[in-house]
Amino acid sequence: MTATGKDYVVYADGLDTRRSYETYRRAVKVMPGGASSHGQCYPVFDPYPLTFKKGKGTKIWDIDGNEYLDFILAMGPLIHGHAHPALIKAVTEQLEKGTMFAVLHDLEVDLAEKVCEMTSLDMVRFSNSGAEATQAAIRLARGYTGKKKIIKFEGAYHGGHDYVLAGTGGTPPMGPSTSLYTIPASWGIPEETLANTILVRWNDFGALKKVVNRHANEIAAIITEPILMNLGTILPDEGFLESMRELCTANDIVFILDEVISGFRLARGGAQEYFKIKADIATYAKALGAGFPISALAGKKEIFENLVPGKVFHAGTYNANPLVVAASYASLTELDKPGTYAKLHKIGNMLQDGLEGAIDDTNTQAIVQGAGPGGCQLLFTKLRKIKDYRDFLSTDSEKYMKMHKKLLKRGIYFHPQQYEHLFISTQHTEEDVNRCIANVKEVLREL
Ligand SMILES: Cc1ncc(COP(=O)(O)O)c(C=O)c1O
């Protein structure tokens, strides 16, 4: 395919991405979709993903040498930006000492103690990705309660495994919010697995209560993000999380708080601290590793005592490997420095306020939803508030993609998809935010 007479497909007008295109052409021949993850290929990236070569601080460079100010941060993990010196030092030092033992090492225990202290939870198990953590959390809840079904919310993303894919993937929900319907988001998921998932509309406590009343003796767990950060940013209505927590306690249901994004980001103690609620099991990943593949499930001793041989199975050769543990410990140590969360709040609020200002100044039909250090999202919609997945599906994703491309040309990197989320890091400065807002304003005027 050619465009405008060139021998490569034009990405954004005036942006030379021919080497990215060549790399993509090679990739599609040997990798399905030309990527290692569905989240990294067409049609998420249209017409193809750019190929990146370097990142430092808040900047990234593609293979054609274009520079961008990064507000995606690898979908959230890079809470200290790219190639932070403290993380590089920690990992380099560990490299010299040995890359892997696949058995207990002292830094692993240091990290476990630090995670328990920061999250105010009793015990922790490490794994490598967010999906592994949510999968283990659900198995643990099932093993602990002896029940099978789980409740998750429409559109909510908790990783790419069978237990949690129902109701994701852009499929519009059908029927009442309380029915036992399931929508496969992928081929290959057994019916039996889907039948054990109940989807409920987010922020609809009445529906949630009805489902629990009907199936309480079958429901092992409710899994939720504290803020739906994979649907732009959808905040919980006041009291929604607290009521959910109480409902779980009253019905012997494990409350799994998926803090893969919010953990160590929203606050030192994550969403549990931010919203003053307590999970039975919480899952962590992105900011925990700050760009290195580590995740964790943490929670109450009474539950975690069952995560031992002979009871609930959990294992992984690479779990808590020393390199990622070193990076994670360095990340948490950096986060623990005085003033870090205050800065994240300030920059996060500045970004959110600035985007709101840009919308007002340009009379754009859009809103911003966000949570300070957790980041935010600009949503093209007529609605004054997006409160669930059904609302979210009515937003204008094509317009968002157009904005993304125009911003790319101006050196600002937003994700192409509105369901993603704008992230900030400890390295973002007021100047970075001001530059971003000025460009967003110009682009909104052009749209
Ligand atoms: C809330 C949430 N849970 C779980 C996951 C899965 O994490 P991973 O991609 O590391 O498997 C994600 C990924 O974006 C997520 O946002």
Side-chain angles (χ1 to χ4, degrees):
M1 191 155 56
T2 60
T4 60
K6 295 176 185 165
D7 61 355
Y8 70 100
V9 177
V10 171
Y11 205 96
D13 194 28
L15 189 71
D16 191 344
T17 60
R18 70 191 66 206
R19 293 177 75 183
S20 275
Y21 179 61
E22 282 158 14
T23 314
Y24 168 73
R25 291 279 295 255
R26 281 173 49 213
V28 286
K29 287 192 185 137
V30 286
M31 300 158 76
S36 298
S37 163
H38 273 26
Q40 298 171 11
C41 60
Y42 176 85
V44 173
F45 292 87
D46 181 18
Y48 52 88
L50 295 181
T51 308
F52 285 95
K53 186 165 121 176
K54 192 180 149 191
K56 184 74 195 152
T58 57
K59 308 260 173 55
I60 43 174
W61 288 267
D62 70 19
I63 199 169
D64 290 280
N66 301 306
E67 179 186 297
Y68 310 94
L69 184 53
D70 188 4
F71 287 92
I72 293 304
L73 300 173
M75 325 271 263
L78 302 176
I79 193 149
H80 302 298
H82 295 265
H84 190 281
L87 272 72
I88 291 177
K89 181 167 179 283
V91 175
T92 310
E93 281 173 10
Q94 186 58 47
L95 272 170
E96 295 288 339
K97 294 185 204 158
T99 55
M100 214 171 137
F101 309 115
V103 73
L104 198 65
H105 55 102
D106 55 353
L107 193 54
E108 178 182 354
V109 185
D110 292 344
L111 182 65
E113 286 170 350
K114 192 152 184 67
V115 167
C116 289
E117 185 271 314
M118 288 176 81
T119 60
S120 302
L121 291 167
D122 303 330
M123 299 186 101
V124 60
R125 261 288 172 103
F126 294 111
S127 46
N128 308 287
S129 67
E132 284 172 72
T134 58
Q135 188 185 32
I138 290 170
R139 181 185 291 156
L140 178 56
R142 286 177 165 150
Y144 172 70
T145 58
K147 301 191 268 183
K148 275 195 216 167
K149 292 198 194 306
I150 61 158
I151 292 179
K152 74 177 285 281
F153 291 94
E154 291 177 356
Y157 186 69
H158 301 289
H161 59 87
D162 286 5
Y163 293 172
V164 287
L165 274 181
T168 63
T171 328
M174 298 166 296
S177 164
T178 53
S179 61
L180 242 177
Y181 68 90
T182 49
I183 308 154
S186 166
W187 293 6
I189 300 179
E191 280 295 313
E192 299 82 340
T193 307
L194 295 170
N196 279 317
T197 314
I198 305 176
L199 295 175
V200 176
R201 199 167 178 170
W202 171 258
N203 271 331
D204 187 347
F205 184 69
L208 185 65
K209 205 169 161 193
K210 228 184 243 179
V211 171
V212 168
N213 287 343
R214 212 177 287 158
H215 302 281
N217 57 0
E218 298 174 276
I219 298 167
I222 298 179
I223 183 165
T224 187
E225 271 195 285
I227 297 172
L228 301 187
M229 291 186 179
N230 288 285
L231 294 172
T233 311
I234 306 184
L235 293 152
D237 284 349
E238 212 180 317
F240 182 60
L241 295 174
E242 294 81 351
S243 305
M244 200 187 310
R245 164 68 279 182
E246 283 169 23
L247 194 65
C248 286
T249 308
N251 290 280
D252 188 25
I253 293 170
V254 175
F255 180 46
I256 303 175
L257 198 59
D258 183 354
E259 293 228 50
V260 162
I261 295 182
S262 60
F264 308 104
R265 174 175 274 286
L266 264 185
R268 189 176 182 276
Q272 290 192 102
E273 179 182 325
Y274 191 85
F275 290 110
K276 300 187 179 53
I277 44 160
K278 187 96 179 168
D280 295 321
I281 303 177
T283 52
Y284 299 95
K286 302 204 174 194
L288 174 65
F292 289 81
I294 185 168
S295 63
L297 59 155
K300 290 185 176 159
K301 189 165 183 231
E302 184 194 331
I303 299 174
F304 274 64
E305 279 173 345
N306 297 289
L307 202 58
V308 289
K311 293 188 176 179
V312 178
F313 189 83
H314 177 249
T317 307
Y318 286 93
N319 288 1
N321 90 76
L323 295 179
V324 300
V325 165
S328 178
Y329 196 81
S331 169
L332 298 188
T333 306
E334 283 299 306
L335 286 172
D336 244 354
K337 288 187 174 162
T340 306
Y341 284 98
K343 183 185 172 192
L344 284 171
H345 269 275
K346 187 171 173 195
I347 296 291
N349 290 338
M350 229 184 118
L351 181 63
Q352 188 170 341
D353 294 346
L355 291 173
E356 273 163 8
I359 287 169
D360 287 347
D361 290 357
T362 55
N363 277 324
T364 303
Q365 204 166 60
I367 58 169
V368 184
Q369 297 192 168
C376 60
Q377 184 57 304
L378 186 153
L379 298 145
F380 290 106
T381 178
K382 288 182 196 142
L383 300 173
R384 291 178 64 197
K385 185 177 170 188
I386 300 293
K387 61 180 186 333
D388 59 32
Y389 186 44
R390 299 180 191 213
D391 283 353
F392 179 81
L393 288 174
S394 72
T395 61
D396 189 342
S397 54
E398 271 175 38
K399 198 160 188 182
Y400 194 89
M401 175 72 89
K402 280 188 197 145
M403 178 176 78
H404 150 79
K405 290 196 171 165
K406 284 180 179 288
L407 284 171
L408 265 189
K409 203 175 119 186
R410 293 161 181 271
I412 307 288
Y413 189 55
F414 279 20
H415 197 276
Q417 301 296 335
Q418 199 168 219
Y419 58 72
E420 279 298 334
H421 178 93
L422 303 178
F423 285 102
I424 50 148
S425 73
T426 56
Q427 305 307 298
H428 279 82
T429 61
E430 293 185 24
E431 198 186 326
D432 288 336
V433 174
N434 286 333
R435 196 182 131 203
C436 167
I437 301 301
N439 280 286
V440 169
K441 212 181 274 185
E442 282 177 29
V443 166
L444 291 180
R445 237 176 233 125
E446 281 175 24
L447 281 174

